[in-house]
């Protein structure tokens, strides 16, 4: 039976002509559809733009991105957006997780969540605006690659033709977005958690530990206690970044979703608030954080072979992680000392809150 409540591609395009100025993501939300569903409605050529359905296989897309030269890489979740200018350099494909390892574009990719993808070309004041955009099965944006003026635009047509799917339909099926996983903790296993925590030699072991204990990240943080975690005030992310800027410190900022985590390594200098957004607006790096989405923030210390790894981690009201910040110790170990000083000044959240 057809879902008579579902908007057709023609209806979506007609609604867009009545509201052309709204940002695409906001416009899709206003219609109760996903961003990918909005793009799919424009598959073909409509209103001066060309949208082509392409393969969503990470290996194919990243190999294509490598040919485009310097681009803008963008990853987001519901509360934070991270953007970095650079090239897609060292590529490591894997069965469950893959990596792009470059000085600017640094990604961890989980390919099973790369379901739909589009090559998008729109008219712009200084020539066509082109991008490769990847989405999950629910139509949520996983990762986007935007060409810039200095990108290799000559390679675009060939890339699109090579990635193009034979089926160029405008009406796609998307899964209903499920509820986020709520925090899971077992206070009776708190001592076991702390004992396992003490034995860590790498931060990546943490996921396995909490999984074996039938917990998740936020649930474990809520019961671990000092000296493993310290809950701090909800404005701690902006306060920490203000100190990073003032001290010329360098950090690693992790922002992602289920399909992609993007990492910025380096300074965060030019900070600006605009409405609910707290922004980093540096020449080759932008980050945009919805501060009003931040519900819990923790300073977390995990043992590693190189010494304690101290992170600042923020979560939204539904328990989803928004971002993580670590010191960038890759070129200068003094950044660890600076970072320890910064997080040491953050105010603890009062117990009754």
């Amino acid at each position: 039976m057809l879902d008579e409540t579902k908007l057709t591609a023609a209806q979506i395009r007609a609604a867009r002509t009545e509201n052309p100025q709204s940002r695409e993501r906001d416009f899709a939300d206003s219609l109760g559809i996903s961003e990918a569903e909005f793009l799919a409605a424009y598959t073909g050529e409509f209103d001066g733009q060309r949208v082509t359905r392409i393969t969503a296989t990470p290996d194919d897309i990243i190999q294509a991105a490598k040919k485009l030269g310097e681009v803008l890489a963008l990853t987001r979740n519901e509360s934070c957006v991270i953007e970095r200018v650079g090239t897609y350099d060292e590529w490591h494909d894997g069965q469950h997780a893959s990596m792009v390892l470059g000085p600017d574009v640094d990604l961890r990719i989980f390919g099973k969540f790369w379901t739909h993808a589009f090559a998008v070309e729109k008219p712009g004041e200084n020539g066509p605006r082109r991008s490769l955009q990847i989405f999950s099965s629910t139509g949520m944006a996983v990762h986007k690659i935007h060409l810039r003026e200095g990108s290799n635009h000559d390679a675009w047509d060939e890339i699109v033709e090579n990635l193009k799917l034979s089926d160029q339909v405008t009406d796609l099926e998307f899964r209903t977005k499920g509820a986020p996983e709520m925090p899971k903790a077992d206070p009776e296993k708190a001592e076991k958690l702390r004992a396992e925590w003490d034995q860590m030699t790498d931060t990546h072991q943490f996921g396995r530990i909490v999984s074996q204990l039938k917990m998740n990240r936020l649930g474990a943080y809520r019961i671990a206690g000092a000296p493993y975690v310290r809950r701090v005030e909800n404005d701690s992310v902006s306060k920490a970044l203000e100190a990073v800027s003032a001290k010329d410190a360098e950090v690693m900022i992790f922002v992602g979703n289920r399909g992609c985590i993007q990492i910025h390594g380096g300074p965060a200098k030019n900070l600006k608030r605009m409405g609910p957004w707290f922004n980093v607006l540096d020449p080759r790096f932008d980050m945009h954080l919805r501060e009003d989405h931040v519900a819990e923030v923790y300073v977390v210390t995990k043992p590693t072979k190189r010494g304690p790894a101290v992170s600042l981690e923020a979560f939204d009201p539904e328990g989803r992680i928004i971002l993580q910040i670590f010191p960038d110790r890759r070129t200068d170990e003094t950044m660890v000392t600076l970072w320890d000083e910064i997080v040491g000044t953050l105010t603890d959240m009062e117990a009754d809150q």
Side-chain angles (χ1 to χ4, degrees), residues 30-47:
S30 73
L31 293 184
I33 62 176
S34 67
E35 189 179 358
E37 192 170 352
F38 167 77
L39 267 184
Y42 281 85
T43 300
E45 294 194 34
F46 297 95
D47 302 334

Side-chain angles (χ1 to χ4, degrees), residues 11 33 41 44 46 51 102 106 112 141 163 179-180 269 271 288 294 311 330 335-336 350-351:
Q11 289 173 324
I33 62 176
F46 297 95
V51 176
D106 190 353
K112 72 177 183 178
L163 297 178
K269 291 295 296 180
L271 312 180
H288 314 284
V294 177
S311 60
R330 295 174 298 178
M335 293 302 163
V336 176
E350 294 182 11

